[in-house]
Amino acid sequence: MSSVIDGKSVAAAVLEECRAEVTELKSRGITPGLAVVLVGEDPASQVYVGSKARTCIDLGIYSRKIELPATTTQDELITVVRELNADPAIHGILVQSPPPKHIDEEAVIRALDPRKDVDGFHPENVAKLALEDKTGFVPCTPAGCMRLLAAAGVPTAGAEAVVIGRSMIVGKPMALLLMAKGSDATVTVAHSRSKDLPAICRRADIVIAAVGRPEMVKADWVKDGAVVIDVGINRIEDPSKKSGYRLVGDVAYAEVAPKCSAITPVPGGVGPMTIALLMKNTLQAARQLG
Ligand code: NAD
């Protein structure tokens, strides 16, 4: 029998911690501020930006939403980022991904003040994560996965962890967090060129799937009693839904769940954690910038 790791309730607990931290910061005259910059009109990005702003407002964090047209040039976007870098009311800056194709996302990330890079994507923060320097910002989704493992009481020390996916947003930072001192897992990172992925997965006490392929991880890939964290968010057609689609993860949940000791659902697993950890990072920035 597997237990379902409820991301909504763990995220709610993280947000309550944040609420208390906001009160404490405000008592010292600091109102934490987060700016979210959106270029273009991607509907999914608009939903993400909207819910980030709502969560800020709910917690008492100052929220600034900057919506720029899809025709914004890279230089214009970098100018906006630099203005936010210099703005004392703003402690965290997030440029919603993906920007339109004519913009080099890497160049925009490098223009961020790393002390305000609450996504943790700036090279300085990537280095700090590798160096286990806690003053850096950890990318929100893998940080959220670590909180889910902790909340579910999953022991990581000495555990065999397999991370599927090596992106800078999820897979790579996830691997660094799992192998860091205090977490102490033995980590394997698999990716699109890995051979015999099912066999690699079967070694794992902890599987983290961050691929973007609907229901790729099957029951016979997973060892009995393993813990499975499903980061994937994939839309698949479903004519029975009003929207015409439903969301599934990278794990074939119905067949994998009975084999696991614990598993995250999609939706309601990793998803809610990402925003909660963004709030945490914003408060860390506010504390560090003072
Ligand atoms: P990405 O496309 O940047 O990276 C995908 C990774 O999967 C790559 O490293 C690639 O090598 C690997 N991969 C691709 N096909 C593979 C295969 N057949 N076998 C093994 N590895 C393969 O994606 P990402 O940004 O890391 O996101 C991954 C998934 O997580 C997506 O579904 C995304 O929507 C989701 N995601 C969810 C959240 C959240 O808040 N829950 C946040 C970020 C991303």
Side-chain angles (χ1 to χ4, degrees):
M1 256 309 270
S2 67
S3 71
V4 178
I5 305 173
D6 179 359
K8 281 192 220 155
S9 73
V10 181
V14 173
L15 292 174
E16 284 319 302
E17 283 172 27
C18 290
R19 196 182 300 282
E21 277 183 59
V22 171
T23 307
E24 193 272 328
L25 281 164
K26 284 187 170 170
S27 75
R28 291 197 277 128
I30 302 166
T31 298
L34 174 68
V36 180
V37 184
L38 175 62
V39 186
E41 278 150 25
D42 177 59
S45 293
Q46 282 174 330
V47 172
Y48 291 141
V49 166
S51 65
K52 284 165 188 172
R54 274 196 304 281
T55 309
C56 279
I57 292 161
D58 177 52
L59 295 178
I61 295 173
Y62 168 60
S63 157
R64 193 182 299 165
K65 196 159 79 177
I66 298 162
E67 291 178 285
L68 303 172
T71 50
T72 304
T73 66
Q74 183 169 311
D75 285 349
E76 285 166 345
L77 176 57
I78 287 178
T79 300
V80 169
V81 165
R82 294 217 169 105
E83 282 164 9
L84 293 168
N85 284 345
D87 187 334
I90 298 297
H91 302 95
I93 307 167
L94 182 153
V95 181
Q96 185 64 44
S97 184
K101 291 212 167 27
H102 64 274
I103 292 177
D104 173 5
E105 194 167 11
E106 203 51 46
V108 178
I109 289 170
R110 281 169 196 264
L112 287 166
D113 181 339
R115 297 170 306 166
K116 296 189 176 187
D117 165 39
V118 284
D119 260 339
F121 297 159
H122 188 284
E124 192 169 312
N125 286 312
V126 176
K128 283 185 170 177
L129 177 58
L131 293 165
E132 301 182 25
D133 175 340
K134 301 274 190 288
T135 65
F137 295 102
V138 177
C140 304
T141 302
C145 294
M146 294 303 290
R147 287 291 294 241
L148 288 176
L149 289 172
V154 177
T156 51
E160 288 278 349
V162 171
V163 179
I164 319 176
R166 59 177 166 186
S167 73
M168 294 305 295
I169 296 171
V170 192
K172 261 186 218 172
M174 189 73 235
L176 287 169
L177 288 169
L178 283 163
M179 78 171 82
K181 282 189 207 72
S183 169
D184 301 315
T186 302
V187 183
T188 303
V189 182
H191 48 79
S192 53
R193 304 295 296 273
S194 296
K195 288 183 186 147
D196 201 356
L197 192 52
I200 296 172
C201 263
R202 275 193 289 271
R203 296 207 300 259
D205 303 307
I206 301 168
V207 178
I208 314 278
V211 187
R213 305 212 166 228
E215 303 182 320
M216 184 180 83
V217 177
K218 307 293 184 203
D220 64 350
W221 295 31
V222 176
K223 178 166 90 175
D224 278 330
V227 174
V228 175
I229 305 288
D230 189 353
V231 183
I233 301 177
N234 309 291
R235 277 185 182 195
I236 59 167
E237 274 184 36
D238 184 345
S240 74
K241 301 274 178 199
K242 213 166 110 191
S243 59
Y245 71 86
R246 71 190 157 92
L247 295 180
V248 297
D250 291 342
V251 176
Y253 186 88
E255 60 178 85
V256 171
K259 291 192 77 178
C260 304
S261 57
I263 185 166
T264 58
V266 176
V270 176
M273 296 301 291
T274 300
I275 287 192
L277 271 293
L278 173 66
M279 298 300 126
K280 268 268 173 212
N281 281 356
T282 302
L283 300 183
Q284 179 186 336
R287 254 195 333 271
Q288 290 178 179
L289 285 163

